[in-house]
Amino acid sequence: MDRMFSLDGRVAMVTGAGQGVGAVVAATLARQGAAVVVNDLFEDRARATAESIVADGGAAIAIAADVTDRAAVTAAVRTAESSLGPVDILVNNAGIPASGMNFVRFAESEPEDWRPFIDLNIYGVLLVTRLVVNGMLAREHGRIVTVVSDAGRVGEPYQTVYAASKAAAAGFSRSLAKEVGKHGVTANCLSLGSISNPAVAKDPERLARQLRYYPVRRLGTPADVASAVAWLASDEAGWVTGQTIPVNGGYSTS
């Protein structure tokens, strides 16, 4: 992908960047000139993404950390700052993979099933943001982008707790934007529709069912998401804050 915006001199931290959307977001920000902190729960995945960025001529380091672990995230931010500099751009992307979603009716769910969604999609977002936002405020510049889901924006059956956690993250971002805007810091969300994956691509009937709700007759790609992140991370988006922007091919259930 060619350069769209200049992020020269900026340091970006992308959580959940060891694969999928996060890996492409990290690579895209690097191509715009940012030095990238590649975070993932698994060290080998984080390292693979960082090494790919460096091989492409970018700057990146890999830091494995569980975003719900305060001590681990604190150490990760310190390592990032000592290696690359203060974090200017935070992309809260870490999430539960589809294989861990456990689609069930809420009436049949158990409280212990809710905890991973609440921990990762709410607490993790709050924790990582809390550990970098003060530096952004002191420097009078920052970009916070949180990846949420259309499940939280429009509601989806059998995904009630997941939807609730993503809606909560969007509400947090809207409120945070009102606190930090006067200091040159923006906070926005990208609300994603279905992103293509090998399982869907190999199942024509499943793909056709999903595409009924998409005016743009294809599923999203990680590059679609990464382009939107690059814009929100740039100076060109400095007057955009408190928004939940759909990146979803026009998805609608109506």
Side-chain angles (χ1 to χ4, degrees):
M1 183 182 294
D2 294 332
R3 179 172 287 208
M4 298 175 288
F5 306 100
S6 175
L7 300 179
D8 291 344
R10 304 297 188 193
V11 175
M13 181 173 184
V14 185
T15 68
Q19 62 181 0
V21 168
V24 176
V25 167
T28 299
L29 295 180
R31 291 192 188 104
Q32 312 315 304
V36 182
V37 180
V38 178
N39 161 259
D40 198 86
L41 181 62
F42 300 99
E43 184 176 1
D44 58 338
R45 296 200 310 214
R47 188 185 309 113
T49 298
E51 289 176 351
S52 176
I53 290 171
V54 172
D56 195 39
I61 61 170
I63 301 179
D66 180 347
V67 298
T68 69
D69 182 328
R70 182 172 183 175
V73 177
T74 299
V77 171
R78 288 175 179 166
T79 299
E81 292 179 341
S82 63
S83 300
L84 299 178
V87 175
D88 304 292
I89 300 161
L90 171 63
V91 183
N92 289 307
N93 170 76
I96 296 171
S99 59
M101 289 292 289
N102 191 26
F103 298 111
V104 297
R105 292 175 59 202
F106 180 72
E108 298 169 356
S109 69
E110 297 294 338
E112 57 267 25
D113 299 329
W114 310 339
R115 179 57 60 185
F117 299 102
I118 295 169
D119 284 352
L120 187 55
N121 295 338
I122 304 176
Y123 181 76
V125 168
L126 269 62
L127 178 59
V128 182
T129 302
R130 174 65 178 80
L131 291 172
V132 302
V133 72
N134 279 333
M136 294 178 178
L137 295 174
R139 295 186 301 277
E140 299 258 313
H141 182 277
R143 300 287 184 264
I144 300 165
V145 182
T146 299
V147 176
V148 295
S149 166
D150 273 356
R153 189 177 64 85
V154 302
E156 290 290 351
Y158 310 109
Q159 299 181 37
T160 49
V161 179
Y162 171 73
S165 66
K166 289 297 190 179
F172 161 70
S173 295
R174 286 192 295 272
S175 295
L176 179 66
K178 294 185 176 181
E179 294 183 5
V180 301
K182 64 184 178 182
H183 300 287
V185 180
T186 66
N188 293 286
C189 293
L190 294 177
S191 182
L192 306 189
S194 293
I195 303 300
S196 182
N197 63 71
V200 175
K202 293 178 181 178
D203 188 340
E205 291 185 5
R206 179 180 172 187
L207 178 60
R209 287 196 302 270
Q210 287 188 259
L211 290 181
R212 288 181 301 169
Y213 303 105
Y214 290 86
V216 178
R217 294 294 182 179
R218 67 172 177 84
L219 298 185
T221 68
D224 292 321
V225 183
S227 297
V229 172
W231 173 59
L232 288 175
S234 72
D235 289 345
E236 284 80 356
W239 210 47
V240 179
T241 195
Q243 304 304 304
T244 298
I245 300 172
V247 179
N248 64 2
Y251 172 80
S252 174
T253 56
S254 59

Coordinates of all heavy atoms in Angstrom, one line a residue, residues 42-75:
F42 N 0.7 -13.5 22.1 CA 1.7 -14.5 21.8 C 2.9 -13.9 21.2 O 2.9 -13.2 20.2 CB 1.1 -15.6 20.9 CG -0.1 -16.2 21.4 CD1 -1.4 -15.8 21.0 CD2 0.0 -17.3 22.3 CE1 -2.5 -16.4 21.6 CE2 -1.1 -17.9 22.9 CZ -2.4 -17.5 22.5
E43 N 4.1 -14.2 21.8 CA 5.3 -13.5 21.4 C 5.7 -13.9 20.0 O 6.2 -13.0 19.3 CB 6.4 -13.9 22.4 CG 7.8 -13.2 22.1 CD 8.8 -13.6 23.1 OE1 8.6 -14.3 24.1 OE2 9.9 -13.0 23.0
D44 N 5.5 -15.1 19.6 CA 6.0 -15.5 18.3 C 5.2 -14.8 17.2 O 5.7 -14.4 16.2 CB 5.8 -17.0 18.1 CG 4.4 -17.6 18.3 OD1 3.7 -16.9 19.0 OD2 4.1 -18.7 17.8
R45 N 3.9 -14.5 17.4 CA 3.1 -13.8 16.5 C 3.5 -12.4 16.4 O 3.6 -11.8 15.3 CB 1.6 -14.0 16.8 CG 1.1 -15.4 16.7 CD -0.4 -15.5 16.6 NE -1.2 -14.8 17.5 CZ -2.4 -15.2 18.0 NH1 -2.9 -16.4 17.6 NH2 -3.1 -14.4 18.8
A46 N 3.7 -11.8 17.6 CA 4.1 -10.4 17.6 C 5.5 -10.2 16.9 O 5.7 -9.3 16.1 CB 4.2 -9.9 19.0
R47 N 6.4 -11.1 17.1 CA 7.7 -11.0 16.5 C 7.6 -11.2 15.0 O 8.3 -10.5 14.2 CB 8.6 -12.1 17.1 CG 10.1 -12.0 16.6 CD 11.0 -13.1 17.1 NE 10.8 -13.3 18.5 CZ 10.3 -14.4 19.1 NH1 9.9 -15.4 18.3 NH2 10.3 -14.5 20.4
A48 N 6.7 -12.1 14.5 CA 6.6 -12.3 13.1 C 6.1 -11.0 12.4 O 6.6 -10.6 11.3 CB 5.7 -13.5 12.8
T49 N 5.1 -10.3 13.0 CA 4.6 -9.1 12.4 C 5.7 -8.0 12.4 O 5.9 -7.3 11.4 CB 3.4 -8.6 13.2 OG1 2.4 -9.6 13.1 CG2 2.9 -7.3 12.6
A50 N 6.4 -7.9 13.5 CA 7.4 -6.9 13.6 C 8.6 -7.1 12.6 O 9.1 -6.2 11.9 CB 8.0 -6.8 15.0
E51 N 9.0 -8.4 12.5 CA 10.0 -8.7 11.5 C 9.6 -8.4 10.1 O 10.4 -8.0 9.3 CB 10.4 -10.2 11.7 CG 11.2 -10.4 13.0 CD 11.5 -11.9 13.3 OE1 11.0 -12.7 12.5 OE2 12.3 -12.2 14.2
S52 N 8.4 -8.7 9.8 CA 7.9 -8.4 8.5 C 7.9 -6.9 8.2 O 8.3 -6.5 7.0 CB 6.4 -8.9 8.3 OG 5.9 -8.6 7.1
I53 N 7.5 -6.1 9.1 CA 7.6 -4.6 9.0 C 9.0 -4.2 8.7 O 9.3 -3.3 7.9 CB 7.0 -3.9 10.2 CG1 5.5 -4.2 10.2 CG2 7.3 -2.5 10.2 CD1 4.8 -3.7 11.5
V54 N 9.9 -4.7 9.6 CA 11.3 -4.3 9.4 C 11.9 -4.7 8.1 O 12.6 -3.9 7.4 CB 12.2 -4.9 10.6 CG1 13.7 -4.6 10.3 CG2 11.8 -4.2 11.9
A55 N 11.5 -5.9 7.6 CA 12.0 -6.4 6.3 C 11.4 -5.5 5.2 O 12.1 -5.4 4.1 CB 11.5 -7.8 6.1
D56 N 10.3 -4.9 5.4 CA 9.7 -4.0 4.4 C 10.2 -2.6 4.5 O 9.8 -1.7 3.8 CB 8.2 -4.0 4.6 CG 7.4 -3.4 3.5 OD1 7.8 -3.6 2.3 OD2 6.4 -2.6 3.7
G57 N 11.2 -2.4 5.4 CA 11.8 -1.0 5.5 C 11.3 -0.2 6.6 O 11.7 1.0 6.8
G58 N 10.4 -0.7 7.4 CA 9.8 0.1 8.5 C 10.5 -0.2 9.8 O 11.5 -0.9 9.9
A59 N 10.0 0.5 10.8 CA 10.5 0.4 12.2 C 9.5 -0.2 13.1 O 8.3 0.3 13.1 CB 10.9 1.8 12.7
A60 N 9.9 -1.2 13.8 CA 8.9 -1.9 14.7 C 9.6 -2.7 15.7 O 10.7 -3.2 15.5 CB 8.0 -2.8 13.9
I61 N 9.0 -2.9 16.9 CA 9.4 -3.8 17.9 C 8.2 -4.7 18.3 O 7.1 -4.2 18.2 CB 10.0 -3.1 19.1 CG1 9.0 -2.2 19.8 CG2 11.3 -2.3 18.7 CD1 9.4 -1.7 21.2
A62 N 8.5 -5.9 18.8 CA 7.5 -6.8 19.3 C 7.4 -6.8 20.8 O 8.5 -7.0 21.4 CB 7.7 -8.2 18.7
I63 N 6.2 -6.7 21.3 CA 6.1 -6.8 22.8 C 4.9 -7.7 23.1 O 3.8 -7.3 22.8 CB 5.9 -5.4 23.5 CG1 7.1 -4.5 23.2 CG2 5.7 -5.6 25.0 CD1 7.0 -3.1 23.8
A64 N 5.1 -8.8 23.7 CA 4.0 -9.7 24.1 C 3.5 -9.3 25.4 O 4.3 -9.1 26.4 CB 4.5 -11.2 24.1
A65 N 2.2 -9.1 25.5 CA 1.6 -8.7 26.8 C 0.1 -9.0 26.7 O -0.5 -8.8 25.7 CB 1.8 -7.3 27.1
D66 N -0.5 -9.4 27.8 CA -1.9 -9.6 27.9 C -2.5 -8.2 28.3 O -2.1 -7.7 29.4 CB -2.2 -10.6 29.1 CG -3.7 -10.8 29.3 OD1 -4.5 -10.1 28.8 OD2 -4.0 -11.8 30.0
V67 N -3.4 -7.7 27.5 CA -3.8 -6.3 27.7 C -4.8 -6.2 28.9 O -5.1 -5.1 29.3 CB -4.6 -5.7 26.5 CG1 -3.6 -5.6 25.3 CG2 -5.8 -6.6 26.1
T68 N -5.1 -7.3 29.5 CA -5.9 -7.3 30.7 C -5.0 -7.4 32.0 O -5.6 -7.3 33.1 CB -7.0 -8.4 30.8 OG1 -6.3 -9.7 30.9 CG2 -7.8 -8.4 29.5
D69 N -3.7 -7.5 31.8 CA -2.8 -7.6 32.9 C -2.1 -6.3 33.2 O -1.2 -5.9 32.4 CB -1.8 -8.7 32.6 CG -0.8 -9.0 33.7 OD1 -0.4 -8.1 34.5 OD2 -0.3 -10.1 33.8
R70 N -2.4 -5.6 34.3 CA -1.9 -4.2 34.5 C -0.4 -4.2 34.5 O 0.2 -3.3 33.9 CB -2.5 -3.7 35.8 CG -2.0 -2.2 36.1 CD -2.7 -1.6 37.2 NE -2.4 -0.2 37.4 CZ -2.9 0.6 38.3 NH1 -3.9 0.1 39.1 NH2 -2.5 1.8 38.5
A71 N 0.2 -5.1 35.2 CA 1.7 -5.1 35.3 C 2.3 -5.4 34.0 O 3.3 -4.7 33.6 CB 2.1 -6.2 36.3
A72 N 1.8 -6.3 33.2 CA 2.3 -6.6 31.9 C 2.2 -5.4 30.9 O 3.1 -5.1 30.2 CB 1.6 -7.8 31.3
V73 N 1.0 -4.7 31.0 CA 0.8 -3.6 30.1 C 1.7 -2.4 30.5 O 2.3 -1.7 29.7 CB -0.6 -3.2 30.0 CG1 -0.8 -1.9 29.1 CG2 -1.5 -4.3 29.5
T74 N 1.9 -2.2 31.8 CA 2.7 -1.2 32.3 C 4.2 -1.4 31.8 O 4.8 -0.5 31.3 CB 2.7 -1.1 33.8 OG1 1.4 -0.8 34.3 CG2 3.6 0.0 34.4
A75 N 4.6 -2.6 31.9 CA 6.0 -3.0 31.5 C 6.1 -2.8 29.9 O 7.1 -2.3 29.4 CB 6.3 -4.4 31.9

